[in-house]
Amino acid sequence: MVTAGTGGIGLETAKGLAARGYAVTVVGRDPGRGARTVEQLAAVATAGRPGFLAADLASLGEVRALAARLAAEGPLALLVNNVGAMFARRTSTVDGIEASFAVNHLSPYLLTELLLDRLRAGGPSRVVNVTSGAVGLARRTFREVEPPGGYYGFHWYGRAKLANLAYTLDLAERLRGSGVSVFAADPGGAATEMTNGTLASPAIVSPPLRLLWPLVRRKFERSTAGPASSAARPSLAAATDPALDGRTGLLIGPQAGVVPPYRGSTDPQTVADVLRLSRRLAPLEAAAEAARGLDGISNAP
Ligand SMILES: NC(=O)c1ccc[n+]([C@@H]2O[C@H](COP(=O)([O-])OP(=O)(O)OC[C@H]3O[C@@H](n4cnc5c(N)ncnc54)[C@H](OP(=O)(O)O)[C@@H]3O)[C@@H](O)[C@H]2O)c1
């Protein structure tokens, strides 16, 4: 399964998987776009039928519903958490949570946790979480959803990606020996909806970087000039490279090879704070409660 798989890097990842014989299901918000994607995937698929599931991954309720649907379909061999977004202005989700943190970290966190049983059943299986070089500019403070100080979209995006990377590498350790391998993949950069829509204004970076905006913008333009198909290579390597069989907890860099984890992503305090915050904001018990409620309904006379 590939989240945000109807456009950008996710679509190219899904196409690569379909061509390699995976029966890929993609997730996106727009059913029309989903139907067109299924046609594109069917055209390159070498085995298995592609599918589409609609979900807005900015909503924790929709993440829970998606996980329940997928769990009902049986074992899962591959989960690519590709969804990610940068917000030019501070935005809240339907759950009242700051959107960068919700979409880039909480949503993939919750989906992965809710599908762990299915991934164990599908083992040897892999989880691939898509990260970003933007973690390098992140503030490492995770006691609360929002860091103190002003909102700067690029930095808050990087901070949410850092939370997710810290979670990813810790999850790999917790699942070691379970048959589920966990990788992070950094696409480098590509011209996509996300980069076209958000990297245009100095408002997305902090005031010191704004002073250097012409330089910063040129760096953004250079690093996001390539095609999404090239940026999908790290995710595809993390998902399929046989050289990674039996390995886990690795970061696959923009050149599709293993690179050292980014600064701060293995810091024990960061990991502990991210886990505590994630469990508070997206409690797993809520899903169990909902499932018990559904049982009650389906068992009613
Ligand atoms: N592009 C880069 O330079 C770059 C660099 C580093 C890391 N990354 C990371 O790579 C991943 C893919 O990035 P991208 O640039 O390909 O992004 P993108 O162009 O914005 O991705 C578009 C896809 O995301 C889906 N999507 C967006 N919001 C969604 C939501 N709330 N729920 C469900 N689906 C949603 C879209 O479908 P609908 O609109 O139909 O929902 C579409 O399938 C992200 O994790 C991003 O952070 C990208």
Side-chain angles (χ1 to χ4, degrees):
M1 203 199 48
V2 182
T3 68
T6 59
I9 297 167
L11 173 60
E12 295 302 326
T13 305
K15 281 200 231 165
L17 292 171
R20 288 166 173 76
Y22 285 73
V24 191
T25 296
V26 291
V27 177
R29 290 167 296 190
D30 178 351
R33 204 176 183 191
R36 290 192 293 279
T37 300
V38 167
E39 278 175 26
Q40 280 180 276
L41 295 178
V44 294
T46 53
R49 269 194 24 212
F52 167 76
L53 289 173
D56 181 350
L57 298 169
S59 154
L60 295 179
E62 293 203 25
V63 172
R64 291 183 197 283
L66 174 68
R69 259 188 91 172
L70 283 164
E73 286 178 12
L76 186 61
L78 173 65
L79 170 61
V80 183
N81 284 306
N82 168 76
V83 75
M86 200 186 302
F87 298 88
R89 273 174 296 281
R90 191 194 168 285
T91 307
S92 278
T93 65
V94 287
D95 303 295
I97 299 171
E98 190 282 314
S100 320
F101 199 76
V103 176
N104 293 291
H105 171 59
L106 278 183
S107 158
Y109 157 80
L110 183 60
L111 189 62
T112 307
E113 293 288 329
L114 296 178
L115 290 174
L116 282 183
D117 282 350
R118 297 294 85 205
L119 285 158
R120 282 196 193 91
S125 54
R126 295 189 188 187
V127 176
V128 178
N129 288 344
V130 179
T131 186
S132 164
V135 301
L137 283 178
R139 280 189 75 173
R140 251 190 284 156
T141 137
F142 293 103
R143 294 276 158 91
E144 296 300 331
V145 181
E146 304 188 32
Y151 180 85
Y152 314 114
F154 185 74
H155 301 261
W156 285 39
Y157 163 79
R159 176 177 169 273
K161 286 289 190 190
L162 174 59
N164 196 248
L165 182 58
Y167 163 69
T168 302
L169 299 177
D170 182 66
L171 180 69
E173 289 314 312
R174 282 188 281 134
L175 294 180
R176 200 175 273 282
S178 69
V180 186
S181 294
V182 183
F183 301 105
D186 178 359
T192 63
E193 285 157 38
M194 187 182 86
T195 50
N196 293 344
T198 43
L199 293 181
S201 157
I204 65 159
V205 294
S206 61
L209 279 183
R210 273 179 218 173
L211 295 174
L212 305 170
W213 179 244
L215 281 176
V216 174
R217 192 187 52 206
R218 219 170 305 137
K219 187 165 164 40
F220 281 154
E221 278 169 358
R222 257 204 308 271
S223 63
T224 59
S229 53
S230 300
R233 285 177 53 238
S235 292
L236 282 168
T240 66
D241 189 343
L244 298 176
D245 283 352
R247 303 177 71 190
T248 193
L250 300 171
L251 170 61
I252 310 303
Q255 303 307 317
V258 177
V259 296
Y262 299 128
R263 194 173 60 89
S265 58
T266 54
D267 170 54
Q269 188 63 54
T270 297
V271 173
D273 288 347
V274 165
L275 279 181
R276 199 173 306 114
L277 190 57
S278 310
R279 288 170 181 154
R280 172 153 66 84
L281 294 169
L284 302 177
E285 300 73 39
E289 288 291 320
R292 274 198 287 279
L294 283 178
D295 281 354
I297 291 166
S298 60
N299 293 337

